[in-house]
Amino acid sequence: MAAKKLNLKDKYKLLTRDLDWDFSYEDRKQAFPYEDFEGIKIHDWSKWEDPFRLTMDAYWKYQAEKEKKLYAIFDASQQHNGHLNVSDARYINAIKLFLTGISPLEYQAYQGFAHVGRQFGGVGARVACQMQSIDELRHVQTQVHAMSQYNKFFDGFHDWTHMHDRVWYLSVPKSFFDDARTGGPFEFLVAISFSFEYVLTNLVFVPFMSGAAHNGDMATVTFGFSAQSDEARHMTLGLEVIKFLLEQDEANVPIVQKWIDKWFWRGTRLLSIVGMMMDYMLPNKVMSWKEGWEVYFEEAGGALFKDLARYGIRMPKYAGVIEKEKEHVSHQAWWTFYTYGHAAGFHTWIPTDEELDWLGEKYPDTFDKYYRPRWELAKKLEAEGKRIYHNALPQLCNTCQIPLLFTDMDNPTEVSHCVTEYQGDKYHFCSDGCKDIFEDEPEKYVQAWLPAHQIFQGNCGGPDIPDILKDYYHFNLGADNLDIKGSPDEQRWKEWKKQG
Amino acid sequence: MSKVYLILQDNDDSRYLVEAIEADNPEVTTIHQPALIRLEAEGRLVINRETVEDKLGRDWDVQELHLNLISLGGNVDEDEDRLELSWAV
Amino acid sequence: MTIEIKTATIEPIRSTFANLQRRFGDKPASRYQEATYDVQAETNFHYRPLWQPDRLLNDKRRTAVVMEDWYSLKDPRQFYYGSYVQQRARMQEQAENNYAFFEKRDLARHLSDDARNSLIRHLVPLRHVEHTANLNNVYGSAYGYGTAVTQAMLFDGMDRLGIAQYLSRIGLILDGNTGESLSAAKQSWMQDSCWQGMRAMCEKSLTVEDWFETFVLQDLVIDTLMQELFYVRFDQWLSEHGGQDVGMLTEFMRDWYKDTSRWVDAVLKEAVSESAANQQLIQGWFGNWRGRVVEALAPVVADMNIDDAALDIALQTLDKRAAKVGL
């Protein structure tokens, strides 16, 4: 029989889409129980457009090729002391934050996509989610393997999963993903596939990774870009999810809009950490956080929302505030970490004079006016032997869990602080955006495991802060924390460079 | 019209991909940054299998693009002959 | 690399991560260990799942099996993502060669009518069983505990999707890419009385709540019987009835089974030997599902017209395997 040629779309459909069937013996709702409770209406899963059409044989083939290339770089880096090629020991601290703060989110993404990859009633959507699930497992594992080398020569990497579950600032990323995974399956996809993957992760994996390359970190840029090659698939999934939900039923539009409002705000807050990594932690600069934000959020995100306007979807709520924040958040975040540097699992420092000038150039409207004077003061105090360390436990936002450090964007010397009451208790927030999220689901957010509260309640050992840092967080005090100046990391680095 | 974009790893394979894209999309802007190449265009950008095969001098599967792809923006339409990115507005 | 330093002067300050030092001492760890142990979050979850408010996000209580340390369920293949895809890429390359050869030489032409009809009626419908196996393993990956077992369950889940796609390709080879044989096979799956027991069993398996029970049902009971009946006995029947070349197209499934059994057996053995309570529990599940799956498969085995003793032999294979892991 002469075989007819099958195009990719038909072939994929025959190989994948037809595998499921209408149940006769069990109630399908029992096999796929979580599809209804969020109020999303799906009438016809067969209308799902496969965002990519990769069969497993091709998946194994291409992914194995990527892995082979990636591990060849890791091996070479390990055999040739690749850690010595980075621009400066300060740089390493950015990837300490990456391993302890971001890699565990890759793991949560694996778990979350396995959950929805089991739960969706439509086979096309399920398979796309399953592939993303295994990709995310890839990402966390390649990141651990890349960092394994740095862990052998620098402090602060050594107990990354333990820290992620406990350390105060790491509850920011952890609560973000816990929030998404504890939501229903459709909210999870709007949160992660759409809001996070389609728009926000670009900022981590494109400009930041380009920065890693510019700072001589071959291992990180290689896993970063190799991960991103999967991300292109995830992005198309994110866009398909949104279109599918919006096309299935008009009643889905306001629900989706609410999730977009929530998750863009939550994502923006999460990324303030990346902003500070870009502006302050990369000794060799590629672009400022603000420039990255303009390209990947404003331009790319703007195009996206223009396209979605036909469904009645508008820009995320507080987009106006978000636009103003790009001028401020990285500076406010790094200042906070600098002043709490004794309680951080990585090193902090005062930017060099050249860096202060660079920041002044990149942020002409804000840096010299609001932030440079702080650093001049810090320099003066440091010279007098009085480096600034704040000891009071900060008030945390009940939603994003970031200390109340952000200012009112129209009045950048005033810390923004919102309060709401629920069942007789007061709850504190960094912004209207975070307060809205709480007020929409208070019964969820009152459960938050807020690190400062937990310390006060005695759930983290102690009672003194150094005991908590050492025994509960597993920090090696005097090695992992404090200023880079005088740290064992810095001493070793100087020693290696002297020999070089 | 909004810009669509495609970002490739800066490596040897990508040089041929960039040549092919530039040949088929005269309006494209190519931007080099550390370790990456960003290609952007108003409204639409297409990669054709045949053009890439001409440049590479061998058979090329559109899905091989994913080996070197870092990111993209725009609606994706992919089949065995081409990958197209577009925005309608 | 331009930097030249006497390597002796660049001593590492530690051999591996602290969690691995606690488990194995301060010595260099394998990539499997680094990628696996303690990677899943253990404590301080922020919110209860809206979809399961009585459980934590990661919760050991999603199965009645109790383990002191869930990371003792390690994978003897030491598969992490990279080693897994590279192993499967080698297998798919071989499979690709086999499929290409079969198609190029048009070996389907040599099939007897009996063999062709039986392939469509008996082998191709297994794609639906594989699809169920995909969901059941992804279930364990999503609700199981500890990276050691959950990552391996995802690998198995993706394997099953791959096998479902290979089986579909066999259908497409038989019908010259029209998809007619896939429709005929689905018709058979949906309507022929011989398949209804197995279809009901697949539907049932998707409603089992305890993920370890699902694992026992799918990866031990169903898979052992299917392998023996379809990829050994039926393959033999095909060889004797003008379908010997089909073996090229199912080689992947036999290689896969050998590979995966090593992992399934190791997990079962470890869980069963952990405690008398686990043993009893798993034994109970095994006993219950063993009989029901046999019952579900009996009509299709009868319809296949293979060796009368096939089901008994398959059952012996299953029991032998179960005994090996302590059941």
Side-chain angles (χ1 to χ4, degrees), chain C residues 35-60:
Chain C
T36 303
Y37 287 94
D38 312 304
V39 178
Q40 177 199 284
E42 291 275 342
T43 186
N44 300 337
F45 300 105
H46 290 275
Y47 325 101
R48 296 262 169 176
L50 292 180
W51 39 273
Q52 212 176 49
D54 57 335
R55 290 282 179 265
L56 301 173
L57 204 40
N58 301 338
D59 199 319
K60 293 172 181 165

Side-chain angles (χ1 to χ4, degrees), chain A residues 211-278:
Chain A
H214 204 40
N215 283 278
D217 182 1
M218 282 316 293
T220 297
V221 67
T222 312
F223 85 63
F225 284 171
S226 194
Q228 272 300 117
S229 65
D230 305 331
E231 221 72 45
R233 260 188 280 122
H234 306 167
M235 290 168 68
T236 44
L237 169 59
L239 195 50
E240 171 52 28
V241 166
I242 283 290
K243 289 191 212 161
F244 177 72
L245 292 180
L246 298 174
E247 281 167 14
Q248 280 291 306
D249 199 302
E250 249 176 79
N252 293 341
V253 177
I255 304 176
V256 169
Q257 181 71 55
K258 188 179 82 176
W259 287 335
I260 288 175
D261 293 345
K262 169 178 171 182
W263 286 99
F264 270 86
W265 185 258
R266 233 164 156 346
T268 306
R269 276 288 175 261
L270 176 63
L271 287 192
S272 53
I273 293 176
V274 183
M276 135 193 141
M277 286 158 76
M278 293 261 303

Side-chain angles (χ1 to χ4, degrees), chain C residues 70-131:
Chain C
W70 280 96
Y71 284 93
S72 62
L73 301 184
K74 63 175 188 279
D75 182 349
R77 304 165 302 179
Q78 308 207 31
F79 276 167
Y80 56 94
Y81 180 91
S83 51
Y84 163 72
V85 288
Q86 295 194 49
Q87 166 66 15
R88 289 295 176 266
R90 281 191 287 274
M91 285 170 65
Q92 81 81 29
E93 197 178 348
Q94 178 65 40
E96 200 48 51
N97 289 338
N98 288 350
Y99 277 75
F101 184 84
F102 195 97
E103 286 179 279
K104 200 169 150 198
R105 298 294 172 96
D106 196 11
L107 297 180
R109 203 163 30 105
H110 304 305
L111 287 173
S112 68
D113 284 347
D114 272 1
R116 175 186 295 272
N117 291 337
S118 191
L119 280 169
I120 294 174
R121 189 174 163 83
H122 300 122
L123 189 74
V124 179
L126 290 186
R127 64 204 286 262
H128 304 293
V129 181
E130 291 296 331
H131 169 255

Side-chain angles (χ1 to χ4, degrees), chain A residues 32-49:
Chain A
F32 304 99
Y34 304 135
E35 240 177 55
D36 296 330
F37 77 87
E38 299 169 274
I40 288 287
K41 293 191 173 70
I42 303 296
H43 302 290
D44 186 1
W45 273 110
S46 75
K47 292 283 189 315
W48 172 270
E49 277 285 332

